[in-house]
Amino acid sequence: MKIGIPRAFLYHKYFPMWDMFFRELGVKVVVSPDTNNEIMQQGVMNTIDEACLPLKVYLGHVIKLTKEKVDFIFIPRFISVEKHRYLCPKFLGLPDLIRNTTQTFNLPEILDPTINMRITKKEFYLEVLKLASRLNKNPVRIYNAVSKAFKANENYKQLVLAGYSYTEALKIYQKQSATFADTNFLENSQQQATNKPFKIAVISHSYILHDPHMSMNLLNKLDEMGCEIKTPEMLEGDVIDKSLENLQKDMFWSLNREIMGASFYHLAKKDIDGMIILNAFACGPDAITKELIERLCKRESEIPMLSLTIDEHTGEAGFVTRLEAFIDMIKRKDKGGYKDESNLSTHGELLCRDKSVV
């Protein structure tokens, strides 16, 4: 029996848990390949224009899996991953949306368990049991699968909190998958040491940032430019909570709350040289949180900030030009350069507003 998992949306956040769960039940896991032009174009052509780019990419991955002859495709219905908060509406209706937009494709059965932490633990485990019993009737194997899946998820989170990116942590999981759930990463994981001269906070959703095709390989480009990268998932939940405690109203979208808390934390702590906000065009929650972050940055901080918005039409040349200009500005600032970059003429000459004739 084979089950397909799209390499998109919450794949980077939960894949070790899902993979461990299905493998322990005796099911082979097939993951769609890295995002490429073909996958993106399939998603773009088969969904509505108003959908955000990550949703179009997700659909492209599902269509790709239809060619892998899998028996099921795993598309969970994420409603809530913590009490009193929700995920974006696209996660709530994702299985239905996929079914209705892929009717012309030979789609295998979709397994769509409901993940809702607003219900009781008993109801949650009954939902997990319902899913597991579709794949294996052995109660001992189901119990082991659930236990090891949760343990793998905890270890994976420890690696990320220790400074590993999702990509690096996934490589460790894939190398040690046989013993991953039994390893004590609470003791073995250590904060990643780095000697990079500049620290850049990259604020974005994991499904954008850790997809090299969608993010135009932003993380690798920053690494090559000599930047240490800070991402939202590297912060503990209580750090995020404390950073947002002065908000007049709680942010009830969990994923956007995470990225907003991370940006507020770095701006208050002043432990970074610059901040990059990367969001997708047509994302409703991002349109609000991005504005709040930018206002706080302009009003209360002197930390340079670059805001990048992507969609399927974004050209890499312009993207790279803006990124290089931003890093060059941080380097000039580090060398004691101009404090106010708005006083630079287009020729690079410093203008003094009081004396300029312009």
Side-chain angles (χ1 to χ4, degrees), residues 234-245:
M234 292 177 179
L235 294 176
E236 295 267 13
D238 56 352
V239 174
I240 299 290
D241 292 341
K242 189 169 179 55
S243 302
L244 298 174
E245 62 184 8

Side-chain angles (χ1 to χ4, degrees), residues 270-283:
K270 297 182 174 62
D271 62 343
I272 53 174
D273 299 289
M275 177 182 289
I276 297 175
I277 302 174
L278 179 68
N279 69 318
F281 179 73
C283 175

Side-chain angles (χ1 to χ4, degrees), residues 81-149:
V81 293
E82 56 184 336
K83 292 288 184 185
H84 310 301
R85 300 191 184 102
Y86 295 92
L87 266 67
C88 166
K90 61 177 175 280
F91 289 101
L92 275 64
L94 191 58
D96 305 318
L97 189 149
I98 295 297
R99 285 192 186 97
N100 284 289
T101 51
T102 55
Q103 291 180 353
T104 56
F105 295 89
N106 187 21
L107 203 67
E109 183 181 349
I110 291 176
L111 293 181
D112 58 348
T114 299
I115 310 299
N116 185 4
M117 299 311 290
R118 295 174 62 86
I119 59 178
T120 63
K121 278 189 177 180
K122 181 181 177 182
E123 291 172 310
F124 174 76
Y125 280 108
L126 283 175
E127 186 72 18
V128 175
L129 183 62
K130 181 180 165 186
L131 170 66
S133 60
R134 291 285 312 275
L135 307 169
N136 197 308
K137 302 294 184 187
N138 187 327
V140 176
R141 290 199 69 166
I142 292 175
Y143 176 81
N144 287 335
V146 174
S147 300
K148 286 195 171 186

Side-chain angles (χ1 to χ4, degrees), residues 41 52 69 75 84 169 226 252 259 263 277 282 306 313 316 319:
Q41 287 307 315
C52 65
K69 297 182 180 178
I75 306 177
H84 310 301
F252 55 82
I259 63 176
S263 56
I277 302 174
L306 173 65
H313 304 296
E316 187 168 0
F319 185 91

Side-chain angles (χ1 to χ4, degrees), residues 299-335:
R299 190 174 63 234
E300 298 182 10
S301 174
E302 294 183 351
I303 294 174
M305 187 193 70
L306 173 65
S307 178
L308 298 167
T309 301
I310 56 169
D311 67 7
E312 61 270 30
H313 304 296
T314 303
E316 187 168 0
F319 185 91
V320 172
T321 300
R322 293 189 65 191
L323 184 62
E324 289 177 341
F326 181 68
I327 300 301
D328 286 346
M329 181 193 65
I330 290 174
K331 289 177 179 177
R332 287 198 302 274
K333 188 179 178 185
D334 182 63
K335 292 178 180 177

